[in-house]
Each structure stands twice: as structure tokens, then as C-alpha cells.
Amino acid sequence: MNEPAASEAGKLGALSNLAPELADMLVSIASDIALVVDDQGVIQRIALGGGEPVKTMADDWLGRRFADIVTIETRKKVEQLLADVSATGLSRSRQVNHPSPLGLDVPVAYSAVRLGPGGPLLVVGRDMTVVSAMQQRLVHAQAEMEREYWQRRQSETRYQLLFQIATDPVLVVDASSLNVIDANRAAARLFGQPFDQLIGKRATLPLHDSSRPALLELFATAKASGRAADCEALIDGPQRRVRISVTPLRTESSTALLMRLKTVDPQWQVPEANQRLVALMALSPDAIVVTDGEGRVQMVNPAFIELAQIDIRTIIVGSPLSNWLGATAGELGRLMDSMREALYSQRVSSTIRGAAGRLTRVEVAAVCLAENEDEAFGFIVRPAYAGSAGTLAGDDRTDPSIH
């Protein structure tokens, strides 16, 4: 052995006799727990400085093997720690779990050093309970953020579906710049422009010069009052008279304006759009229902009939949707009232009452298609997935009988 190595070994050998005192000192200044362990891995001395969980679980450790006081899944880490010390005299930090009489395992990060040739092992640990709890909260927070993200994506997808199948032209306008930020295909057909050419343009451009001041005033009124306002205007080119309704549409970060148009000229019709709407409803895997302003069914697709387990002989058109949708008689009415103000809903939880009174928990996205005296509501309904975080419209009760 060379002279520096011999000197170092001599120092550690001298410290081996002071192992209990070293354990007490390290606990008092730098750690939560210190163990003096012999070559067979048996605990000879314990020094504690941590909180109540550490002190409670260490009552019967003295005289037991280090590997026997940890949980089965972390026993391998103790064996690796002891092997490192045997090979090099020093181990890197390893985190193990101790079973606790309080119920929850206590995580502790240990490092070890041999005090001289043939000397005992000094094993020093730091209680990781607080760190582990913070990590767990971070994992839960990330999982919750991911759930909220996907729930919002689903709501946006359903809104976009209702937005696109609406037969009336609809534009979403930025409240500050008055530029179009979204539009449906009915608007593109009305203005005679490709869909992508509408986006980014000023919302007043498709109108005749004589009608633009009235639309600007309409925008200002809607922004100032926070309520819907409407006026009549002329579309440029092949002039057609339309009635324009503008409603504030608030999002989390900004305010937009929902601009809906209805042609006054009865000769301007879009039968292709109606046919596509019917085809889309028939093929959609989601249940789709359209009602009038009183909540009476005007149109349903096969998916809704299947979801509600409706007998094909039952008269559906003209019947109240509340016969099937909603846990209570007033739930659908409250949802429709909220739609008259917000125009469309985020995903909400509800129930479908099927055959023999069986209840199925569902998620509903809805939109109000109101224009003067003509009012309609569109609903997309699908079975709720496990753990859904949607809110019941006007009611937060749960029923264990719901499937």
C-alpha cells in the first residue's frame, strides 16, 4: 500500500472506534437518520433526528438486518448499497422505502461509508417524504392539466361540428381588429368566396358600401352593451339583403364577436347544405338532435334513437326532448336559457332516460341557432367516459343507478 492510501486508511480506522459518536453528530447537523451497520448488514446503532414518521418506524430496528427493514421492492437497492461499500468503501445515494405503522411508506435516501479496513459501515439517510409529496402533487397536477386539455379539445371539436353544419352563415370576428378569425362554409357560399379567403379579412368588406357604417355601429353596440344586436344590410356583388345579428363571444383570453347572417331574399336557398346536414346527421356516431325554441324535437339521427333506446314506433318529432334528455324536468330548460345568452355551451354532463327508465350518463354540447322569431337549438350527445369532469347544467347531483 502506498503512503497516501495507508494514511487515509489509518484515518478511517481511527474513526471506526468513534462510529456511534459520528452517527449522532451527522444526524444533528446534516441528516435525519444514521445507522452503524456491521459486515453482515446488521444494525448496531441508530441515531435519529427526523420527524415523527422516522422515529416511529425505527423503534424495532436495532439488531435487525438493514435489508429487512425496507419494503420488498426496494430491498435490492440496500443490497447494491452494501455491495458498493464492500467494493470501494463508499456508496452513491440510493432511495429506499420503509414500511411505517402509520400506514404510508417513508422514503429515505441513504449513502454509506466504511470506517477503515474491517471497520463498521456508517449509513446516513435523509427523509424524502416532503420531496416525494411534492413530486406526487406535480404528477397529479400534470395529469389534471392533460385531462383538462383533452376535455377542451373535445368541446372545441363538437363546437366546430355544430358551427360547420349550421345552415345559416356564421362568422367569428376579432373584437379589436374586426377581422374574420373563423367562418363556416355557409358564409363562404353566401359571399361567393373560397373559405380560406374570408379568414383575416375585415368583416365589413363583403357588404355594400352603404351598409358598412351600420355594421360598424352594430359591432360597437354589441361590444359596449355585451348583448346581441342586429340590423339589415346589403351584400356587395349580386346584391342580396341580409339580416345580421352580432353577439359578444367571450373566451378565456379575449372577446370575439359572433356574426350571423340570414338572407331576407327567399329565392336565395342552399338545398345542398340541407342535404349534407341530413347525411351528416345520419352517419354521425354521436347522437344529434335539433329542437325548436320550446325544446320540441324537429330532427334526430339514428345514433340518438339507439342511445335513448327509443322504440321505432314512438312518435319523436314534435315531442319534448326533455322526455329523454335530463335527470329532471327543468334541466333542459335551464340549459336552453343559458344558450340564449352564451349561444353555445362547453361540454356539460347530463343523462339520457331510456327504455324502462334506465339512465345513461352523457356529455352534451349545444348551440343556439336564434334569429329574430325563429329559434332552434342543436345538441350533440355522447356517452360520458369514466372520470368525466363536465358540470351538470343547473344541477350537480349524482345517482349511483346511472350507467
Side-chain angles (χ1 to χ4, degrees), residues 146-152 154-155 158 347 349 361-363 382-390:
E146 185 172 350
R147 281 194 296 270
E148 291 178 356
Y149 168 76
W150 286 111
Q151 288 163 7
R152 183 169 298 176
Q154 290 174 343
S155 296
R158 295 174 193 175
R347 178 180 56 87
S349 294
R361 187 169 294 282
V362 295
E363 298 171 351
R382 64 169 52 176
Y385 57 89
S388 172

Side-chain angles (χ1 to χ4, degrees), residues 3-254:
E3 186 173 337
S7 175
E8 190 67 26
K11 292 177 182 178
L12 291 173
L15 290 174
S16 66
N17 296 326
L18 300 175
E21 290 77 8
L22 284 172
D24 290 336
M25 181 187 69
L26 287 172
V27 163
S28 67
I29 64 174
S31 64
D32 297 310
I33 185 170
L35 309 174
V36 178
V37 180
D38 65 16
D39 284 340
Q40 284 71 46
V42 177
I43 299 172
Q44 302 296 325
R45 178 68 183 268
I46 304 172
L48 300 174
E52 192 62 28
V54 172
K55 294 177 180 178
T56 302
M57 70 183 180
D59 287 344
D60 63 345
W61 286 3
L62 197 63
R64 297 178 61 187
R65 295 178 65 251
F66 186 16
D68 293 337
I69 65 171
V70 302
T71 58
I72 294 176
E73 65 271 11
T74 59
R75 190 170 295 172
K76 186 70 173 178
K77 294 184 179 181
V78 171
E79 296 172 355
Q80 291 171 343
L81 180 144
L82 296 177
D84 287 348
V85 175
S86 297
T88 65
L90 185 68
S91 78
R92 66 180 180 85
S93 178
R94 284 187 168 85
Q95 182 172 314
V96 301
N97 295 326
H98 292 287
S100 169
L102 299 178
L104 295 176
D105 293 343
V106 178
V108 179
Y110 285 105
S111 298
V113 61
R114 180 180 291 280
L115 300 178
L121 308 180
L122 182 59
V123 183
V124 180
R126 170 67 68 183
D127 185 359
M128 303 297 289
T129 302
V130 175
V131 175
S132 179
M134 291 177 62
Q135 291 173 336
Q136 195 66 28
R137 286 197 294 268
L138 177 60
V139 170
H140 289 327
Q142 290 174 331
E144 183 63 24
M145 288 175 61
E146 185 172 350
R147 281 194 296 270
E148 291 178 356
Y149 168 76
W150 286 111
Q151 288 163 7
R152 183 169 298 176
R153 284 288 301 272
Q154 290 174 343
S155 296
E156 290 174 353
T157 299
R158 295 174 193 175
Y159 161 70
Q160 284 293 332
L161 176 58
L162 286 171
F163 183 69
Q164 290 299 338
I165 66 176
T167 56
D168 285 343
V170 181
L171 304 172
V172 180
V173 180
D174 179 77
S176 300
S177 65
L178 300 184
N179 291 335
V180 176
I181 56 178
D182 202 357
N184 65 357
R185 292 179 177 83
R189 285 193 295 270
L190 176 62
F191 296 136
Q193 297 184 23
F195 171 81
D196 56 354
Q197 290 186 16
L198 282 176
I199 308 302
K201 283 191 174 181
R202 194 168 175 83
T204 57
L205 284 180
L207 301 186
H208 190 269
D209 290 344
S210 60
S211 297
R212 290 174 186 171
L215 182 57
L216 289 174
E217 183 178 350
L218 194 64
F219 285 147
T221 301
K223 287 193 292 184
S225 67
R227 298 181 179 180
D230 57 18
C231 71
E232 286 197 2
L234 286 175
I235 295 177
D236 207 4
Q239 292 187 8
R240 289 187 292 268
R241 182 167 293 279
V242 294
R243 174 160 289 277
I244 301 175
S245 175
V246 175
T247 306
L249 181 65
R250 290 180 175 83
T251 64
E252 290 184 355
S253 57
S254 62

